[in-house]
Amino acid sequence: EPSDPEGAVATVETRTGAIRTLLSGSDFARDELDLAAGPGRQTGSAAKPFTLVAAFRRGFPPGKVYEASSPKEIPGWRSPCGCVYNAADGGSGSYMDLWAATENSVNVVFAQLAVDVGAEHIVKAAHDMGITTPLDAVPAITLGSEEATPLDMATAYATLANDGVRCEPFAVQRIEVRREMLYKHRAKPSCEQVVSPEIAHLVTAMIERATCCGTGYRAL
């Protein structure tokens, strides 16, 4: 159920792609701006699972360890100082594996992982999972520098929950006028296996650690 700071919310049915909620979060009558389906918004740390999927596709183990101290200069990182900072509650300790880095949303670890994995592979994972907007292949994508809609993010997260099967989202099930069927959505959902079940389960388990014990829990 991804949302943005202005209150836009989108939810999709995991196994069919049926859109169950599409809430702009603003006064549409006044602004005529749909924040749920477009335009895109920066995704922040919600984009980190794309990096995990790309990493595991390329054979990186979830126990891979990186230095986690902040700030850290990272060769290949594009910024004025070439360095990355952790958030205020981004964890502690000088070294950390991907489990702990996901639980605590540690930017420095994910930045190093993104450089090692290759930004182009992260873009591929994001598009496979349901992001439809163009994405620049830059390492900062792992920290949410690129834009996506809440609807696309809902689809991508549903892909993980659906054992790696992406289902195309749709809004209208059927249209009837005086009992006459004018339109009916295809009987079989348009779905495709885009992430292996093993990787989908692993990434889901790692995300759950963040919501039960890490930054997601502390934000409640």
Side-chain angles (χ1 to χ4, degrees), residues 12-18 158 161-163 165-168 170 188-191:
V12 299
E13 195 170 86
T14 301
R15 298 195 179 279
T16 66
N162 196 27
D163 302 327
V165 177
R166 184 194 68 226
C167 294
E168 296 299 323
F170 66 94
K188 185 177 181 180
S190 177
C191 301

Side-chain angles (χ1 to χ4, degrees), residues 12 16-20 167-173 183 185-186 189-190:
V12 299
T16 66
I19 299 171
R20 296 308 183 194
C167 294
E168 296 299 323
F170 66 94
V172 179
Q173 183 73 46
Y183 169 83
H185 188 72
R186 63 178 66 91
S190 177

Side-chain angles (χ1 to χ4, degrees), residues 4-211:
D4 72 10
E6 295 193 30
V9 176
T11 63
V12 299
E13 195 170 86
T14 301
R15 298 195 179 279
T16 66
I19 299 171
R20 296 308 183 194
T21 306
L22 198 61
L23 177 64
S24 173
S26 66
D27 188 338
F28 184 82
R30 181 194 66 200
D31 302 328
E32 295 188 5
L33 178 63
D34 183 0
L35 298 178
R41 318 278 287 187
Q42 286 191 325
T43 58
S45 288
K48 286 174 178 172
F50 304 143
T51 302
L52 293 174
V53 169
F56 298 148
R57 280 176 164 179
R58 303 202 69 204
F60 286 69
K64 186 170 178 59
V65 173
Y66 284 100
E67 186 177 352
S69 58
S70 168
K72 180 175 177 57
E73 291 187 19
I74 300 175
W77 188 263
R78 301 180 188 177
S79 73
C81 67
C83 54
V84 178
Y85 291 80
N86 290 329
D89 60 350
S92 61
S94 57
Y95 290 91
M96 192 174 289
D97 67 14
L98 299 185
W99 280 96
T102 303
E103 179 178 328
N104 295 286
S105 194
V106 180
N107 292 342
V108 165
V109 171
F110 272 87
Q112 294 171 87
L113 179 63
V115 171
D116 287 351
V117 169
E120 68 278 10
H121 297 288
I122 301 173
V123 169
K124 176 70 162 58
H127 283 155
D128 286 348
M129 292 167 65
I131 303 303
T132 60
T133 54
L135 302 171
D136 289 333
V138 295
I141 187 175
T142 194
L143 304 185
S145 65
E146 296 300 293
E147 296 182 346
T149 67
L151 178 57
D152 277 2
M153 293 298 289
T155 301
Y157 272 70
T159 297
L160 292 176
N162 196 27
D163 302 327
V165 177
R166 184 194 68 226
C167 294
E168 296 299 323
F170 66 94
V172 179
Q173 183 73 46
R174 65 180 181 272
I175 300 174
E176 296 181 10
V177 176
R178 300 186 185 91
R179 298 185 180 180
E180 178 184 357
M181 184 73 69
L182 300 183
Y183 169 83
K184 185 175 182 179
H185 188 72
R186 63 178 66 91
K188 185 177 181 180
S190 177
C191 301
E192 179 184 359
Q193 186 84 50
V194 294
V195 177
S196 74
E198 295 78 15
I199 290 178
H201 298 164
L202 176 57
V203 174
T204 298
M206 296 172 79
I207 295 171
E208 287 174 346
R209 287 283 297 274
T211 58

